């Protein structure tokens, strides 16, 4: 079986790329998606996106990758970082995510990265398995905590 096609997004892909981003981050406003997509495209030295075409004008998935000055557990600088990886449910199981990650890794390596990192939710067994299959190792698990200061201030009568 041949690997799915992967390429950088073109102008005609904007609506589909945004559709996939909205599926990944449904609470993010459309304007924020547009801003972030524009930032990725405008900073080609430090960030990139790759898409995998599907039938017609549809996209099967996308990956966004960026350079970071450092990342915990990653030697060297810069470090490639997978900011987002998403494949539409109906396109899964065809190697799309694997092909997208390969493109992100090649892009990071071409910019001098010795390592590439990604985060995954603890309950994302398929995503974690994909990364492990590609040679990623789990180096930490963390719990993120938050406190809403505006709510606290309101409760205290401020």
């Amino acid at each position: 079986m041949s690997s799915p096609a992967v390429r950088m997004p073109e102008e005609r892909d904007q609506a589909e790329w945004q559709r996939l981003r909205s599926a990944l981050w449904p609470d993010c406003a459309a304007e924020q998606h547009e801003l972030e997509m524009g930032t990725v495209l405008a900073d080609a030295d430090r960030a990139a996106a790759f898409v995998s075409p599907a039938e017609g004008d549809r996209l099967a998935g996308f990956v966004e990758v960026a350079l970071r000055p450092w990342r915990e557990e990653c030697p060297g600088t810069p470090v490639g970082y997978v900011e987002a990886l998403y494949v539409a449910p109906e396109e899964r199981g065809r190697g799309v995510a694997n092909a997208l990650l390969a493109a992100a890794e090649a892009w990071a390596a071409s910019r001098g990265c010795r390592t590439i990192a990604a985060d995954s939710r603890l309950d994302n067994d398929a995503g974690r398995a994909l990364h492990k299959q590609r040679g990623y190792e789990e180096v930490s698990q963390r719990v993120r905590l938050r406190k809403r200061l505006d709510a606290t201030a309101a409760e205290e009568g401020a």
Side-chain angles (χ1 to χ4, degrees):
M1 180 171 110
S2 66
S3 185
V6 172
R7 60 174 169 74
M8 295 185 112
E10 299 169 359
E11 189 171 327
R12 65 186 165 108
D13 298 321
Q14 295 297 313
E16 268 296 286
W17 183 13
Q18 185 168 339
R19 178 186 70 83
L20 294 174
R21 283 180 121 259
S22 294
L24 179 59
W25 296 301
D27 295 332
C28 185
E31 298 79 20
Q32 185 66 30
H33 284 300
E34 290 173 13
L35 177 68
E36 291 174 3
M37 290 163 53
T39 300
V40 168
L41 295 175
D43 195 4
D45 290 334
R46 302 190 38 79
F50 296 93
V51 296
S52 181
E55 294 291 320
D57 292 335
R58 301 199 55 210
L59 295 177
F62 77 97
V63 66
E64 295 174 12
V65 60
L67 300 181
R68 292 194 177 185
W70 65 276
R71 183 72 179 168
E72 297 94 345
E73 310 285 341
C74 294
T77 187
V79 173
Y81 185 75
V82 178
E83 301 285 350
L85 173 64
Y86 183 78
V87 176
E90 66 276 11
E91 300 292 341
R92 293 178 186 165
R94 297 188 313 107
V96 173
N98 195 44
L100 289 166
L101 273 179
E105 293 163 6
W107 179 88
S110 76
R111 276 145 181 82
C113 296
R114 293 181 19 219
T115 55
I116 189 166
D119 289 338
S120 178
R121 291 174 39 132
L122 289 175
D123 63 352
N124 184 358
D125 295 332
R128 290 169 67 195
L130 168 71
H131 283 84
K132 286 179 184 177
Q133 177 227 343
R134 289 204 54 81
Y136 290 69
E137 60 183 320
E138 287 189 15
V139 293
S140 68
Q141 294 181 353
R142 68 181 69 216
V143 174
R144 293 189 173 153
L145 306 166
R146 76 175 184 190
K147 177 181 179 182
R148 299 231 12 202
L149 296 177
D150 57 337
T152 301
E155 291 171 1
E156 295 174 356

